[in-house]
């Protein structure tokens, strides 16, 4: 039986969409909201590129759909050329910030100690960090998945305030953008491991309340089986979130499976 946690459908647009394209997406996505958001405890979150944040914020104002930043620095302001302030994202009305997406880790060298500072800064501003963890194919094949996931979660949450909201995304690196999705059993095993560790780091109630999303080639044809797993609380969607109708279909398929 599924615990009473919220379900989160998150669209990670990565470095796609101009402000105008982001606005166009929202206009087209709007017709699907009544159906998707009719169920209580469902949250839809769009993660536009930073340059589109203020237009997305204005377009979504007073709407039931949330948005978040794909990345921020941990300082609020200062001499940090090229970075974005979490305080400005908060002022614009963001609800979430992604932290430690595997592309940030692999391509931009972001390591756990930095991510831990970001988690703390984001929480202190009243935003929800969505901390991403996941093993590479090499790590899975070497049998070190458990150590990798535990290490990333533990280190990333070193400075976390467990009295404030937090969300986690399990994103196996070998599944991101590859079309190779995790099996429901594999995803459930990873989510359970993460939830058990959260219970150790915080407590059982917090572990049960914290949404753990699955990410990595989530598509309308595979989310039904994944959402049936008791510990899968939604999806962080890359490729399939770029089209408003495909993303809406993905949300609908998962929600229908839960109410079937
Ligand atoms: P994907 O990306 O759905 O295109 O695999 C997911 C992610 O990187 O968040």
């Amino acid at each position: 039986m599924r615990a009473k946690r919220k379900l989160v459908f998150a669209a990670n647009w990565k470095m796609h969409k101009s402000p105008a394209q982001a606005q166009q997406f929202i206009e087209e996505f709007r017709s699907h909201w009544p159906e998707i958001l009719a169920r209580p405890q469902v949250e839809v979150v769009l993660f536009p590129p930073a340059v589109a944040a203020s237009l997305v914020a204005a377009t979504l104002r007073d709407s039931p759909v949330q948005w978040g930043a794909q990345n921020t620095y941990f300082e609020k302001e200062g001499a940090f050329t090229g970075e974005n302030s979490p305080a400005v994202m908060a002022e614009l009305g963001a609800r979430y910030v992604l932290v430690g997406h595997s592309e940030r880790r692999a391509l931009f060298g972001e390591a756990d100690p930095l991510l831990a500072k970001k988690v703390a800064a984001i929480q202190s501003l009243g935003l929800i960090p969505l901390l991403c963890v996941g093993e590479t194919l090499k790590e899975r094949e070497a049998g070190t998945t458990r150590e990798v996931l535990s290490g990333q979660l533990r280190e990333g949450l070193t400075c976390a305030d467990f009295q404030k909201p937090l969300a986690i995304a399990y994103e196996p690196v070998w599944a991101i953008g590859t079309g190779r999705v995790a099996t429901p059993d594999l995803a459930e095993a990873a989510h359970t491991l993460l939830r058990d560790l959260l219970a150790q780091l915080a407590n059982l109630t917090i572990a049960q309340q914290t949404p753990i999303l699955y990410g990595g080639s989530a598509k309308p044809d595979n989310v039904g089986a994944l959402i049936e797993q008791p510990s899968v609380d939604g999806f962080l969607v890359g490729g399939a979130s770029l089209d408003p109708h495909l993303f809406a279909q993905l949300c609908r398929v998962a929600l229908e499976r839960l109410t079937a």
Side-chain angles (χ1 to χ4, degrees):
M1 184 64 203
R2 167 170 290 279
K4 291 217 174 304
R5 280 185 292 277
K6 67 180 171 187
L7 279 173
V8 183
F9 295 97
N12 176 14
W13 291 343
K14 310 193 179 187
M15 203 175 74
H16 294 283
K17 297 196 189 296
S18 65
Q21 288 168 331
Q23 194 177 32
Q24 175 73 25
F25 176 104
I26 295 166
E27 297 314 332
E28 289 183 34
F29 187 43
R30 206 179 279 279
S31 63
H32 300 283
W33 294 352
E35 198 186 356
I36 298 170
L37 294 154
R39 196 177 186 275
Q41 296 273 77
V42 172
E43 201 162 69
V44 174
V45 191
L46 307 179
F47 288 91
V51 72
S54 59
L55 188 57
V56 165
T59 312
L60 290 178
R61 188 159 299 136
D62 300 324
S63 90
V65 170
Q66 309 290 335
W67 68 276
Q70 293 177 16
N71 178 40
T72 65
Y73 197 50
F74 61 86
E75 297 283 6
K76 293 192 187 110
E77 64 177 359
F80 307 108
T81 303
E83 290 296 292
N84 285 296
S85 163
V88 171
M89 292 300 173
E91 189 186 308
L92 287 175
R95 183 159 173 80
Y96 285 85
V97 182
L98 291 185
V99 181
H101 187 279
S102 69
E103 287 147 21
R104 299 298 316 168
R105 293 176 189 263
L107 302 174
F108 302 99
E110 295 198 5
D112 294 323
L114 172 68
L115 304 178
K117 288 186 188 173
K118 292 190 182 196
V119 166
I122 290 159
Q123 283 189 316
S124 75
L125 288 158
L127 303 180
I128 308 175
L130 175 43
L131 177 66
C132 305
V133 299
E135 80 287 1
T136 62
L137 187 58
K138 213 168 147 199
E139 289 162 341
R140 176 155 287 274
E141 286 175 348
T144 57
T145 299
R146 174 172 280 271
E147 288 70 33
V148 170
L149 296 183
S150 309
Q152 289 178 346
L153 194 74
R154 197 183 291 279
E155 298 295 318
L157 297 180
T158 314
C159 315
D161 179 347
F162 290 110
Q163 299 312 314
K164 295 190 169 147
L166 171 74
I168 308 293
Y170 168 58
E171 295 211 306
V173 180
W174 45 268
I176 295 177
T178 59
R180 189 180 162 193
V181 67
T183 63
D185 286 349
L186 188 151
E188 178 63 12
H191 285 223
T192 305
L193 173 104
L194 295 168
R195 205 176 298 286
D196 289 349
L197 186 58
L198 269 179
Q200 284 173 34
L201 296 173
N203 61 48
L204 194 59
T205 310
I206 284 163
Q208 282 171 349
Q209 282 169 352
T210 302
I212 305 183
L213 316 188
Y214 168 80
S217 296
K219 302 273 183 295
D221 65 0
N222 57 36
V223 293
L226 284 160
I227 202 69
E228 282 188 331
Q229 302 302 311
S231 225
V232 174
D233 306 317
F235 300 95
L236 180 56
V237 187
S241 76
L242 295 174
D243 177 274
H245 307 292
L246 188 64
F247 183 55
Q249 193 193 343
L250 183 153
C251 301
R252 199 162 41 234
V253 168
L255 290 168
E256 277 170 7
R257 187 66 73 100
L258 285 180
T259 43

